[in-house]
Amino acid sequence: MALLKILEFPDPRLRTVAEPVSAIDGCVVKLVDDMLETMYAAPGIGLAATQVNIHRRILVMDVSEDKDSPMTFVNPEIEIINSELGEFSEGCLSVPGFFEIVNRPRRIRVTYLSLNGNEEIAELEGLEAICLQHEVDHLDGKLFVDYISPLKRGLIRKKLQKLQRQRA
Ligand code: GNR
Ligand code: NI
C-alpha cells in the first residue's frame, strides 16, 4: 500500500479528462488499494484517480459512519433518475479548506465495472449520489468550484496559490 500525492486547484492536471479502463488487471487493483488508503488517510469520503494524477476512469468512496464500506467504480456512467435537485455544502481534497453549496440531482443510476470485472447497476441517493457525481466530475476534469461564481472561484484560487507558494 502507498499514500499518493493529491493534486490541488488550480493545478491544470485536474482538468484532464480520464480515459476508460479497458480491463481490470493487477495494476488497477493496486491503484484502487492505494487510492482507498489515501482517501482514508486524508480523510475524505471519496477520491477520483484524476486527483492522484492517474487519468483513468476509476473512483473510490466510503460515505459510511464507521469507514468500513469502501466502494469502487470503474468506468462509471451516470443517468439522472429524477431531475429534482438537492443542495449540499461540498468540499474537496483538491480544494482544501473551502466549502460551497452545490446543487445536484438527488437520485441517480450508475452503471460501472466492479473490481471483479462485472458490469453493475446501482441506484444512489443522499450523500452517495452527491459524492459519486462529485467524483465523476473529477474524471471529466471538473471541480465543484466550477459551479460557484467566478469571483468566489478566483478568490479561492488566489488563496490556494499563496499557500502553495509558502509550502514550496
Ligand atoms: O471528502 C470529501 N467530502 C465531500 C463533501 C461534500 C461533497 C463531496 C465531497 S468529496 C470529498 C473528497 C474529494 O475531494 N473527492 O473528490
Ligand atoms: Ni473532490
Side-chain angles (χ1 to χ4, degrees), residues 84-86 90 102-106 130 133-134 137 144 147:
E84 190 195 337
L85 301 179
E90 298 198 12
V102 178
N103 290 285
R104 299 185 189 271
R106 284 180 189 279
I130 293 164
Q133 291 175 81
H134 175 115
D137 270 356
F144 83 93
Y147 298 106

Side-chain angles (χ1 to χ4, degrees), residues 44-47 51 88-93 130-131 134-135 138:
I45 60 170
L47 189 71
Q51 292 176 278
F88 196 79
S89 176
E90 298 198 12
C92 181
L93 296 172
I130 293 164
C131 191
H134 175 115
E135 304 313 336
H138 278 302

Side-chain angles (χ1 to χ4, degrees), residues 36 40 59-63 69-73 112 122 124 128:
L36 282 167
Y40 286 124
L59 68 89
V60 297
M61 57 190 228
D62 186 342
V63 302
S69 305
M71 306 170 86
T72 301
F73 298 84
Y112 63 100
L124 306 184
E128 282 185 349

Side-chain angles (χ1 to χ4, degrees), residues 112-127:
Y112 63 100
L113 287 179
S114 66
L115 256 201
N116 43 44
N118 294 333
E119 275 266 13
E120 315 256 4
I121 303 185
E123 292 194 0
L124 306 184
E125 59 185 3
L127 191 54

